[in-house]
Amino acid sequence: MGVQKRTRKFAQVKRLIGQRDSRLKKNQAKGEIEGKKKAKGDEIVREIPQVSSSLFFQYNTALIPPYSVLVDTNFLSHSVQHKLELLKTMMDCLYAKCIPIITDCVMAELEKMGQKYRIALQIARDERWERLRCDHKGVYADDCIVDRVMKHKIYIVATNDRDLKRRIRKIPGVPIMSVARGKYVIERLPDAPEK
């Protein structure tokens, strides 16, 4: 006859409740809080933000030459690094007259950066560029530019800052200019020539 194999008996171990089990009191309290948050999120939105009348789907009809270009500190410093002349290179990129616009926040940011960015500051102080006064508190240029673009969609934003680009891409009808491969490139301008 042979030796009979012994089979292990499963489910003989004492069962424990897991830390994430919904039967525990602390997890029940969490479930109630999350339920309340979901209920708040399902409320009907009564106010819808007004869309600019110049937008035709994603096409912004307010953007016509001469283009107003809001310049960021990052863009100016990259232009200096690549030895690009601001106005001439902008006009080569857009094939039209451009008006570089520098806000007070951008100037303040450049002044804070110190000696390393003195050439970019010199370029920004040029009388040929238009200056925009800022009436808000603080000198964070990214917020200033985003607010200005949200209010008036008549600007092209010139920046190399990734976070600012990401924020501006969420706003429909606002093209972004940046420095790449020794020249300026534009994205989201409908009439822009292909590379």
Side-chain angles (χ1 to χ4, degrees), residues 58 146 149-150 153 167-174 188:
Q58 292 290 313
V146 169
V149 164
M150 290 276 277
K153 290 184 173 61
R167 285 171 70 183
I168 289 169
R169 281 187 191 114
K170 291 176 184 171
I171 307 165
V174 180
R188 287 173 45 174

Side-chain angles (χ1 to χ4, degrees), residues 95-117:
Y95 298 131
K97 189 174 188 278
C98 303
I99 304 165
I101 298 172
I102 295 168
T103 62
D104 287 345
C105 294
V106 171
M107 287 298 286
E109 213 171 77
L110 277 168
E111 286 164 2
K112 275 185 188 175
M113 286 179 167
Q115 203 64 19
K116 191 178 176 187
Y117 294 93

Side-chain angles (χ1 to χ4, degrees), residues 45-183:
V45 177
R46 297 258 182 236
E47 187 179 321
I48 299 167
Q50 187 66 38
V51 179
S52 174
S53 61
S54 64
L55 283 178
F56 179 71
F57 297 115
Q58 292 290 313
Y59 186 89
N60 190 352
T61 55
L63 280 172
I64 50 168
Y67 294 112
S68 302
V69 183
L70 271 178
V71 181
D72 187 30
T73 49
N74 205 297
F75 186 80
L76 281 168
S77 64
H78 276 276
S79 295
V80 170
Q81 283 173 3
H82 290 282
K83 297 183 175 90
L84 297 171
E85 196 178 318
L86 192 69
L87 188 63
K88 184 179 168 290
T89 321
M90 267 185 196
M91 289 171 77
D92 288 347
C93 176
L94 294 170
Y95 298 131
K97 189 174 188 278
C98 303
I99 304 165
I101 298 172
I102 295 168
T103 62
D104 287 345
C105 294
V106 171
M107 287 298 286
E109 213 171 77
L110 277 168
E111 286 164 2
K112 275 185 188 175
M113 286 179 167
Q115 203 64 19
K116 191 178 176 187
Y117 294 93
R118 66 183 184 281
I119 299 168
L121 183 62
Q122 237 174 359
I123 291 168
R125 284 193 177 137
D126 198 332
E127 263 78 60
R128 293 179 290 172
W129 323 142
E130 197 176 305
R131 287 290 301 273
L132 276 180
R133 299 270 166 250
C134 297
D135 54 353
H136 55 80
K137 290 182 180 177
V139 290
Y140 187 55
D142 291 6
D143 288 341
C144 173
I145 288 170
V146 169
D147 289 344
R148 205 169 284 276
V149 164
M150 290 276 277
K151 288 177 191 166
H152 314 286
K153 290 184 173 61
I154 56 166
Y155 300 111
I156 294 172
V157 178
T159 184
N160 265 46
D161 188 1
R162 275 189 193 157
D163 296 329
L164 181 58
K165 278 184 178 181
R166 197 173 294 127
R167 285 171 70 183
I168 289 169
R169 281 187 191 114
K170 291 176 184 171
I171 307 165
V174 180
I176 302 166
M177 185 185 282
S178 55
V179 182
R181 292 177 245 107
K183 61 180 182 179

